[in-house]
């Protein structure tokens, strides 16, 4: 998984605390960055659970990419309302679609902002994703946005606790590596 770009528009890494979600994503992010893939990172916190805060942080994370300013979308935040969220997201997605390279946005700790308003914004964002933007989302619990529909359309890959759990062989290998150091 790590070392190669996502093969679906959305990758969900969903498992309880301690399963290595953030470590997996950080390793993946680092490897893709080293291979000169265009990546950005967004870590969410509880105080970012308002819709306007989330939109602001999305714009800021994507603006880490030097060719994306997010100025038009950011300008619309001054007149923000729930009804205008789709327009703001559409402006940002249009700017990303015009980028010559693919962009991978890693979103860590999504479970911190899991409100119905945030789920609606994520649904809109996912539905408006341009072909050159992929999301990799880590969460301790299943998000409220529609996962089933994404799976049916092959737009989501899910990595769960079973995929992250070490097998006996993995444990032996890990302990062996630690003892060698």
């Amino acid at each position: 998984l790590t070392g190669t770009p996502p093969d679906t528009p959305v990758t969900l890494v969903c498992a309880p605390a301690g399963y290595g979600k953030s470590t997996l994503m950080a390793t993946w992010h680092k490897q893709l960055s080293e291979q000169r893939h265009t990546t950005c990172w967004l870590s969410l916190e509880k105080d970012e659970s308002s819709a306007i805060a989330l939109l602001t942080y999305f714009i800021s994370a994507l603006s880490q990419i030097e060719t994306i300013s997010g100025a038009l979308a950011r300008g619309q935040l001054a007149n923000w309302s729930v009804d205008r969220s789709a327009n703001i997201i559409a402006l940002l997605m249009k700017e990303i679609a015009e980028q010559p390279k693919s962009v991978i946005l890693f979103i860590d700790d999504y479970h911190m902002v899991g409100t119905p308003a945030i789920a609606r914004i994520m649904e809109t964002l996912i539905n408006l994703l341009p072909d050159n933007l992929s999301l990799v989302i880590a969460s301790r619990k299943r998000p409220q946005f529609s996962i089933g529909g994404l799976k049916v359309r092959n737009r989501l890959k899910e990595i769960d606790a079973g995929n992250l759990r070490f097998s006996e062989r993995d444990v032996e290998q890990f302990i062996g590596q630690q003892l060698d150091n």
Side-chain angles (χ1 to χ4, degrees), residues 63-174:
S63 296
Q64 294 171 25
I65 299 162
E66 65 184 51
T67 56
I68 297 174
S69 73
L72 289 174
R74 191 175 283 117
Q76 294 297 311
L77 286 174
N79 302 320
W80 182 83
S81 70
V82 174
D83 298 336
R84 297 191 56 141
S85 296
N87 293 339
I88 294 168
I89 293 168
L91 284 170
L92 186 59
M93 295 302 105
K94 182 178 184 286
E95 185 176 357
I96 293 166
E98 294 169 352
Q99 298 303 306
K101 291 184 175 182
S102 291
V103 176
I104 305 156
L105 173 59
F106 289 83
I107 303 170
D108 197 17
D109 292 330
Y110 181 79
H111 58 276
M112 300 292 275
V113 297
T115 67
I118 299 296
R120 284 190 300 279
I121 286 176
M122 285 301 292
E123 287 274 352
T124 301
L125 178 70
I126 289 167
N127 288 328
L128 295 175
L129 280 178
D131 291 339
N132 64 335
L133 177 61
S134 297
L135 303 178
V136 180
I137 304 167
S139 181
R140 290 183 184 173
K141 58 185 179 185
R142 291 180 69 86
Q144 294 177 345
F145 57 82
S146 175
I147 292 173
L150 291 169
K151 278 185 172 181
V152 168
R153 296 186 325 259
N154 291 324
R155 295 186 52 80
L156 176 113
K157 176 180 280 184
E158 190 169 4
I159 300 165
D160 60 17
N163 302 115
L164 295 172
R165 188 173 293 123
F166 273 23
S167 67
E168 282 186 42
R169 182 176 164 209
D170 294 332
V171 172
E172 288 172 6
Q173 217 174 12
F174 177 76

Side-chain angles (χ1 to χ4, degrees), residues 1 11 41 50 55 59 61 90 97 133 151 160-162 170-171 176 178:
L1 184 71
T11 302
W41 186 276
S50 76
L55 288 170
I59 293 167
L133 177 61
K151 278 185 172 181
D160 60 17
D170 294 332
V171 172
Q178 297 305 308

